[in-house]
Amino acid sequence: MARLLITGGAGFIGSHTALVLLEAGHELVVLDNYANSSPEALRRVLELAGPEAEGRLQVIEGDIRRSTDLDRAFAAGASPGAGVEAVIHFAGLKAVGESVAEPLRYWDVNVNGSQRLLAAMRAHGCRTVVFSSSATLYGYPEAVPIPESAPIRPINPYGHTKAAVEKMLSDVAASEAGWRIACLRYFNPVGAHPSGRIGEDPNGIPNNLFPFISQVAVGRREQVQVFGGDWPTSDGSGVRDYIHVMDLAEGHLAALNTLLAGGDQLLQLNLGSGHGHSVLEVIEAFGRACGRSIPHQITQRRSGDAAITVADPSEAKRQLGWQTRRNLHDICQDGWRWQHSNPGGYAT
Ligand code: NAD
Ligand code: UD1
């Protein structure tokens, strides 16, 4: 059992990962300012983890950019005396369009926030960290499936901040001994815990395909706009590598175990399934899961989109012994269970 600090642990991926880590027996301190989440998510995580997790989750409301909040988080915990052994760093802003409109806010939270966190880690003697990176680093890929060796060429401010933090982490790893770092480059995280108790709860109109389809299915929105029907793909719609959030959560546990078991490391790994699905295939699969067809209309391409992005996940399998176990059917079933039983997200 390790004592872990989870930044952004109340968010979509953080809450599912917190549950998997509690179930694996770890002791967690979550630091979140609820900029894009609700305390209800962690209440439900505790409920799902059951009585065995009692006393093993402490939540601190605070900001990764504030050193006093970071100090409180490193000092907190159920067993005083034992320090935080590793950090899982989810906290950040993630909306591409917003990052174009407000780049300074994105550089502040994502880059300055990560710098403060790393400085606090050093001050508290913790040098093990798993970082939420993104396939957005690859920009328009030259070839698919995309290996980690593909050029890093982000095409928007959000992507630039992720590339900057990866660079900061590699500089830190080279500066002194003792750092164990994993940058996990997620492809398209979707779905929900199979209980339907926790899931993705975006503010306002969803930017991403999967939550948009879910909200159409539950009657909150009229129809899905399919951004482009003339891409060079089998049915003309865009192709992505959708990864079930529970597979992703398990990927974090595997990365943590690999870091804790070894010496100095700097891992940069894709987390994806290696399989692509088109927008029309996802709409069709979600329709089957919810028992009604999803109204949709093909419209113009969205600027900044690539035709196909699919991971080459073979390095994660080799280095972490991890691979996805769930398919598009599971994603839609679990996503629908969450949306159907919580039509307004955590507010309902
Ligand atoms: P999310 O918005 O649901 O979770 C992020 C969490 O961080 C939220 O709980 C938010 O309140 C918190 N947070 C934001 N700013 C903070 C601050 N200054 N101090 C403390 N907490 C703060 O997003 P998510 O989908 O769970 O993503 C988690 C991480 O994974 C992010 O870093 C994101 O960039 C990255 N990522 C996400 C995706 C995706 O599609 N969801 C894909 C690739 C990478
Ligand atoms: C987007 C971001 C990416 C980020 C990821 C997770 C862009 C260009 N990329 O990835 O940087 O890491 O989200 O937050 O914004 N689509 C529709 N209709 C919709 C929404 C999407 O047809 O209403 C299509 C898109 O054109 C794409 C696919 O669905 O082909 C997936 O889109 P989305 O869920 O937004 O993810 P990405 O664009 O892959």
Side-chain angles (χ1 to χ4, degrees):
M1 182 182 83
R3 191 161 154 213
L4 309 171
L5 170 60
I6 317 291
T7 72
F12 171 44
I13 304 168
S15 55
H16 291 77
T17 306
L19 177 59
V20 165
L21 295 171
L22 284 172
E23 286 173 345
H26 296 299
E27 201 176 287
L28 312 185
V29 179
V30 167
L31 176 66
D32 202 303
N33 67 356
Y34 302 121
N36 194 38
S37 55
S38 154
E40 176 64 11
L42 290 171
R43 206 190 59 71
R44 294 193 189 182
V45 164
L46 266 184
E47 166 200 298
L48 289 168
E52 274 140 55
E54 214 176 294
R56 286 195 285 118
L57 173 65
Q58 188 162 341
V59 183
I60 298 198
E61 183 170 354
D63 196 305
I64 53 163
R65 290 166 295 176
R66 202 174 301 131
S67 56
T68 48
D69 291 348
L70 287 164
D71 287 342
R72 274 198 300 142
F74 277 100
S79 46
V84 167
E85 276 178 62
V87 175
I88 309 206
H89 178 29
F90 295 104
L93 304 176
K94 62 167 182 176
V96 171
E98 192 179 69
S99 79
V100 175
E102 299 177 68
L104 294 178
R105 191 155 77 89
Y106 271 67
W107 278 85
D108 186 32
V109 175
N110 292 2
V111 180
N112 290 341
S114 298
Q115 185 273 334
R116 305 271 158 74
L117 173 68
L118 289 165
M121 286 179 64
R122 282 194 81 230
H124 291 271
C126 174
R127 286 179 171 76
T128 304
V129 59
V130 178
F131 170 60
S132 294
S133 190
S134 171
T136 200
L137 288 183
Y138 300 119
Y140 301 115
E142 275 167 9
V144 285
I146 308 171
E148 288 83 355
S149 57
I152 303 299
R153 278 193 304 230
I155 54 168
N156 53 59
Y158 167 66
H160 292 143
T161 67
K162 289 291 176 191
V165 177
E166 281 212 12
K167 194 76 207 139
M168 194 190 310
L169 286 165
S170 70
D171 286 348
V172 163
S175 69
E176 59 180 348
W179 285 92
R180 299 182 292 192
I181 297 171
C183 298
L184 304 181
R185 299 174 178 168
Y186 315 155
F187 278 66
N188 289 62
V190 286
H193 187 265
S195 65
R197 294 293 290 155
I198 55 173
E200 186 171 13
D201 183 17
N203 280 329
I205 302 172
N207 300 305
N208 300 116
L209 179 68
F210 198 85
F212 204 101
I213 294 177
S214 314
Q215 293 193 6
V216 170
V218 83
R220 275 174 71 178
R221 308 199 181 270
E222 246 173 53
Q223 64 173 0
V224 180
Q225 313 257 307
V226 177
F227 296 145
D230 56 353
W231 294 102
T233 61
S234 59
D235 63 19
S237 65
V239 169
R240 295 290 181 274
D241 186 335
Y242 296 95
I243 172 171
H244 195 300
V245 66
M246 293 306 296
D247 279 328
L248 192 57
E250 290 168 6
H252 287 77
L253 178 61
L256 178 75
N257 288 341
T258 302
L259 292 183
L260 292 177
D264 295 13
Q265 293 160 76
L266 175 62
L267 308 177
Q268 292 166 326
L269 296 171
N270 288 339
L271 294 192
S273 70
H275 304 290
H277 291 288
S278 74
V279 174
L280 292 172
E281 275 169 20
V282 178
I283 290 175
E284 168 78 23
F286 204 95
R288 276 198 301 277
C290 73
R292 74 190 72 128
S293 66
I294 307 289
H296 60 276
Q297 182 190 32
I298 295 179
T299 60
Q300 288 194 326
R301 293 182 180 187
R302 177 173 70 178
S303 89
D305 271 349
I308 307 179
T309 62
V310 174
D312 174 349
S314 53
E315 272 306 301
K317 185 175 180 192
R318 199 175 66 77
Q319 299 201 44
L320 307 180
W322 167 92
Q323 61 186 330
T324 59
R325 299 191 287 136
R326 298 156 180 95
N327 60 23
L328 184 60
H329 172 77
D330 303 318
I331 286 171
C332 293
Q333 293 270 332
D334 295 339
W336 173 238
R337 200 171 296 110
W338 153 253
Q339 188 68 74
H340 173 63
S341 43
N342 305 270
Y346 287 113
T348 47

